[in-house]
Amino acid sequence: MEGYLYYPGCTLKTKASDYEESAMAVMEALGKPLVEMDDWYCCGAVQSLTTDDLMHQLAPIRTMCCAQEQGEKELVTLCDMCYNVLKQANERVRENPDDLETMNEFQDEDPDYLAEVEIYHLFQILQDMKDDIKKKIVNPLSSLRVTPYYGCMLLRPEKAAIDDTEDPSVMEELLELTGAEVIDNPKRTECCGSYHTVNRSDIVEKRVKEIVGRAVEDGADVIVLSCPLCQFNLEYHQRTTEFEVPVLYLTELLALAFGISVGMKKHKIDPIKKFKEKDILE
Amino acid sequence: MKVKRDIEFLEKVEELSGQSVNACIRCGTCSAGCPFVEEMDVLPERIFKKIVLGDKEGILEKNTMWICAACFTCSVRCPRDIDIAKIMEAVRQIMLREDIDMVDIENIDNIRELPQLAIVGCFRKETG
């Protein structure tokens, strides 16, 4: 395959379409297009952690089986939660071949999953393309102060970590390529409150106040991340604060620096206003 | 107060989590790093003590396992290598399998605004 086989998951097709559009455009510009899988299933969003619950491992395993049947050994995700669920499910069946056998027997009309597909998050692919990225920058973001936010699912648990669990740097390295000033945020690996946004929004509001508050204190113009749930939480719950900090997908910033007009349509806090203020957009 | 010791509960938690609850030395590293600890009725390491004691009833009335969002911060930091998120999940699962349901769908007034992965994630963690 010329580019990479890509697993979208549910949210990338709807609420987080800005992320999908911008990631597709960036990878196309880099000559490694993302090619959506012929068939896929919702991953289940959170990893099922009990030893006896194989039923909730089936969806990620079936998706990885679809990649296998397309003849691919590498599968790329954009959403942090999808990445984490697929990665943990894959590692689990590698460590417990009996579980895999049980699931393969249950799925008797599908081919057996051989656990040979590798799961990657887009940042791992971009990390290996820094020279190519540098060459594509036509609109340096030198007037912009950005702060990365990793959240949980790229870094924990250890077997799913794409970087150092306590001191990651992949986002900082990618952001520096855009010419933006990267600001350290000590809250960057703390949980945003995750699914509590559904029925305990008070918990998420407190987290957002701390995380965004720190970014504001340190003078960040925008927060950058890749998880659609963190993106929703950090933007939506700012309505209970005095803050107004746009929260962007890293690929939206890359596209901007590449001079590609894409994404930035579904934000609760308009990033375009900020970019005009900073003379990045006309 | 005397606690009715429910050893089956301890055994079930260890079976479902694949973790040894007895390995906990109550150092409090989990509580120190937990971003949600302020919301919890009982600190995580105190819950482990209750599990070891088999105090199922005492745990049932606490909110600790429902506040845990499985962010794995404690799991990567535990000096005894206990995957604490798995223990919290095991306790949640024991409750959920007894038909305890934590989500009131009727009262989620912004459900159309929520991203799918929030709803799916919440239902996975808080409904049976």
Side-chain angles (χ1 to χ4, degrees):
Chain A
M1 182 177 284
E2 192 194 344
Y4 291 96
L5 192 65
Y6 155 57
Y7 168 75
C10 311
T11 310
L12 271 284
K13 289 290 171 193
T14 52
K15 303 275 185 192
S17 57
D18 283 340
Y19 188 13
E20 178 175 72
E21 273 177 41
S22 56
M24 290 267 196
V26 163
M27 291 303 282
E28 183 80 43
L30 291 169
K32 294 279 183 188
L34 296 174
V35 180
E36 185 176 330
M37 302 175 74
D38 292 340
D39 199 7
W40 54 266
Y41 306 91
C42 168
C43 69
V46 287
Q47 179 66 4
S48 186
L49 299 172
T50 48
T51 50
D52 67 345
D53 184 13
L54 292 185
M55 195 52 90
H56 288 134
Q57 306 290 337
L58 277 173
I61 295 299
R62 286 175 80 189
T63 288
M64 291 185 279
C65 198
C66 291
Q68 168 190 296
E69 291 310 294
Q70 273 193 256
E72 292 296 326
K73 288 253 192 292
E74 296 178 332
L75 183 58
V76 176
T77 62
L78 304 183
C79 169
D80 296 12
M81 294 184 86
C82 297
Y83 160 76
N84 196 284
V85 169
L86 293 180
K87 177 80 179 176
Q88 283 205 62
N90 211 24
E91 295 306 315
R92 179 182 168 144
V93 294
R94 284 172 174 174
E95 285 165 17
N96 301 286
D98 291 351
D99 285 356
L100 181 60
E101 204 183 316
T102 307
M103 285 189 272
N104 278 334
E105 273 172 29
F106 180 79
Q107 298 277 103
D108 57 354
E109 287 180 9
D110 290 343
D112 282 357
Y113 177 55
L114 306 173
E116 286 169 359
V117 173
E118 290 297 336
I119 302 300
Y120 294 95
H121 185 270
L122 182 72
F123 288 177
Q124 293 172 293
I125 308 294
L126 291 174
Q127 197 172 24
D128 291 336
M129 300 179 80
K130 281 187 208 149
D131 289 336
D132 303 301
I133 295 173
K134 224 183 264 177
K135 285 181 202 147
K136 291 283 172 192
I137 307 286
V138 294
N139 183 25
L141 313 176
S142 36
S143 58
L144 199 69
R145 290 161 67 90
V146 303
T147 193
Y149 176 74
Y150 289 83
C152 310
M153 294 295 127
L154 294 179
L155 302 175
R156 298 185 292 268
E158 230 140 20
K159 68 177 71 164
I162 68 162
D163 203 338
D164 189 297
T165 56
E166 299 287 354
D167 190 21
S169 60
V170 52
M171 287 179 80
E172 283 85 344
E173 288 164 24
L174 291 169
L175 286 169
E176 273 162 13
L177 301 175
T178 67
E181 183 187 342
V182 182
I183 297 173
D184 187 27
N185 185 346
K187 304 275 176 198
R188 71 203 159 131
T189 63
E190 287 185 9
C191 182
C192 70
S194 186
Y195 57 82
H196 283 315
T197 201
V198 175
N199 56 354
R200 282 297 307 267
S201 53
D202 57 312
I203 294 179
V204 184
E205 283 163 16
K206 277 192 195 167
R207 300 300 309 142
V208 169
K209 216 167 263 179
E210 279 212 31
I211 295 161
V212 179
R214 184 60 197 238
V216 170
E217 214 176 289
D218 292 343
D221 296 313
V222 298
I223 297 170
V224 178
L225 44 60
S226 70
C227 177
L229 183 48
C230 300
Q231 201 281 337
F232 174 82
N233 281 345
L234 292 189
E235 255 188 14
Y236 184 82
H237 291 288
Q238 279 187 59
R239 63 190 189 156
T240 60
T241 70
E242 71 275 26
F243 310 131
E244 210 185 337
V245 184
V247 182
L248 288 131
Y249 296 107
L250 188 131
T251 49
E252 288 182 294
L253 269 198
L254 278 183
L256 192 63
F258 286 9
I260 305 169
S261 174
V262 72
M264 298 198 279
K265 295 184 193 82
K266 293 190 173 170
H267 288 263
K268 307 273 180 210
I269 297 170
D270 184 16
I272 292 171
K273 198 173 112 192
K274 181 68 80 181
F275 293 136
K276 283 183 177 167
E277 264 172 45
K278 293 278 160 185
D279 287 330
I280 290 166
L281 280 176
E282 283 184 2
Chain B
M1 193 178 77
K2 271 201 174 170
V3 170
K4 187 172 147 264
R5 196 157 187 231
D6 184 346
I7 291 300
E8 272 178 34
F9 178 67
L10 166 64
E11 285 170 354
K12 193 69 186 169
V13 170
E14 295 204 322
E15 182 201 322
L16 290 182
S17 66
Q19 305 295 305
S20 167
V21 184
N22 272 307
C24 172
I25 53 170
R26 323 258 187 271
C27 69
T29 302
C30 48
S31 297
C34 176
F36 306 109
V37 81
E38 278 176 27
E39 317 294 333
M40 292 175 175
D41 296 336
V42 176
L43 299 179
E45 77 267 17
R46 306 302 298 175
I47 288 286
F48 299 149
K49 185 164 184 200
K50 283 181 179 293
I51 297 169
V52 171
L53 290 174
D55 183 11
K56 184 181 172 185
E57 295 305 314
I59 292 172
L60 248 174
E61 64 195 31
K62 305 299 179 194
N63 70 358
T64 305
M65 57 282 181
W66 303 114
I67 299 297
C68 165
C71 77
F72 298 101
T73 304
C74 51
S75 296
V76 298
R77 290 181 182 168
C78 175
R80 299 284 287 160
D81 283 334
I82 306 170
D83 196 336
I84 298 160
K86 285 187 176 167
I87 293 176
M88 291 295 177
E89 178 104 337
V91 177
R92 277 192 296 266
Q93 278 296 319
I94 290 169
M95 309 294 177
L96 293 174
R97 291 174 194 188
E98 289 178 8
D99 259 356
I100 293 168
D101 197 338
M102 300 301 288
V103 187
D104 178 8
I105 301 171
E106 301 294 321
N107 280 323
I108 306 170
D109 50 9
N110 63 343
I111 197 155
R112 290 191 181 278
E113 285 187 274
L114 295 170
Q116 290 88 333
L117 75 180
I119 300 167
V120 175
C122 181
F123 283 26
R124 274 281 172 92
K125 291 291 184 192
E126 299 186 3
T127 64

